[in-house]
Amino acid sequence: MKIYHVPCLEDNYSYLIVDETTKQAAAVDPVEPDKVLEASNSLGLTLKFVLTTHHHWDHAGGNEKIKELVPGIKVYGGSIDNVKGCTNAVENGDKVHLGADINVLALHTPCHTKGHISYYVTGKEDEDPAVFTGDTLFIAGCGKFFEGTAEQMYQSLSVTLGSLPKPTRVYCGHEYSAKNLQFALTVEPENLKIQQKLTWAKNQRQAGQPTIPSTIEDELETNPFMRVDLPVIQEKVGFKTPVEALGELRKLKDNWRG
């Protein structure tokens, strides 16, 4: 399994997931279909389907056009998310196969949108899995609670995604990492891992390189929104339950100007 970044718009990422045996590929959130197809063609791939994380235009906005450009292509999206151009609705637990070795598991991760899906992707046994988290989990951050509650985001982050194998690579929808890590440092100024990752992220961006992927293990160590079970985080925001702490953290982040 190989994964390629396709930078789109100002700070979005689309991705190509490739089964190396068959050269079959899936595109995640191909908001700029021409760019995604150009990348696919240059790698000699056959694009089989689209995985849409949620209905927002900067993720689903290319679906109709990619269907014109690749006749017969399937477009997967959350069953309750009203995804533009969707041909195959998925629910939590649904599986899709790609090529010889790749399996995709749909995980319902609601809050940012009510039908948001993250896609957990496994390849050969010796390869680390990957998860495509759209706008639910960002590197050191999480999406705004547009269509859901803190309880839902807690379930999505800490239960659904947090229970994935720790080496799982995290591919999210936007390049927000440096800003998110700056905010994370205001929550945990003594956290050495956040300090180190922020320095690394700034260097990556200065070199024109992505800060993605992260790993689930990394997020559990550096992402305040996945650390709300810890008393130190709860005390910092003045609440005694993880869900309340998560809600307060999101409010703080919404009002933080960095």
Side-chain angles (χ1 to χ4, degrees), residues 175 177-178 234:
E175 183 58 75
S177 309
Q234 294 171 15

Side-chain angles (χ1 to χ4, degrees), residues 4-190:
Y4 296 93
H5 299 65
V6 184
C8 293
L9 306 176
E10 279 184 27
D11 54 32
N12 279 67
Y13 287 115
S14 300
Y15 299 100
L16 287 168
I17 306 165
V18 181
D19 177 74
E20 292 170 272
T21 309
T22 59
K23 291 281 191 181
Q24 291 183 4
V28 181
D29 291 346
V31 62
E32 293 191 75
D34 291 321
K35 268 190 189 177
V36 172
L37 272 172
E38 188 183 330
S40 174
N41 292 337
S42 72
L43 295 162
L45 308 175
T46 306
L47 206 51
K48 299 300 281 186
F49 56 82
V50 167
L51 299 171
T52 311
T53 58
H54 63 295
H55 69 77
H56 290 159
W57 76 270
D58 60 326
H59 296 261
N63 287 352
E64 294 290 8
K65 186 171 182 193
I66 207 164
K67 283 161 73 177
E68 289 171 20
L69 296 170
V70 186
I73 194 169
K74 288 179 177 173
V75 177
Y76 293 92
S79 62
I80 58 170
D81 217 44
N82 198 23
V83 168
K84 202 169 187 178
C86 182
T87 63
N88 293 66
V90 291
E91 298 187 19
N92 189 62
D94 284 352
K95 290 177 180 167
V96 187
H97 306 287
L98 176 67
D101 298 306
I102 293 179
N103 291 298
V104 181
L105 175 66
L107 300 172
H108 185 213
T109 50
C111 181
H112 184 69
T113 67
K114 66 178 185 291
H116 193 295
I117 298 286
S118 296
Y119 295 96
Y120 177 66
V121 183
T122 52
K124 292 179 178 171
E125 273 187 35
D126 60 343
E127 295 175 321
D128 287 332
V131 65
F132 295 84
T133 58
D135 287 3
T136 292
L137 169 61
F138 293 123
I139 310 310
C142 73
K144 291 187 177 182
F145 301 0
F146 286 134
E147 297 179 18
T149 63
E151 174 67 54
Q152 284 179 311
M153 188 57 94
Y154 178 75
Q155 286 290 324
S156 293
L157 293 178
S158 293
V159 181
T160 304
L161 297 172
S163 63
L164 295 176
K166 287 187 173 175
T168 303
R169 293 168 286 166
V170 175
Y171 291 88
C172 58
H174 293 268
E175 183 58 75
Y176 292 162
S177 309
K179 271 265 188 272
N180 286 347
L181 287 158
Q182 285 170 354
F183 174 76
L185 263 190
T186 69
V187 182
E188 287 190 274
E190 307 299 312

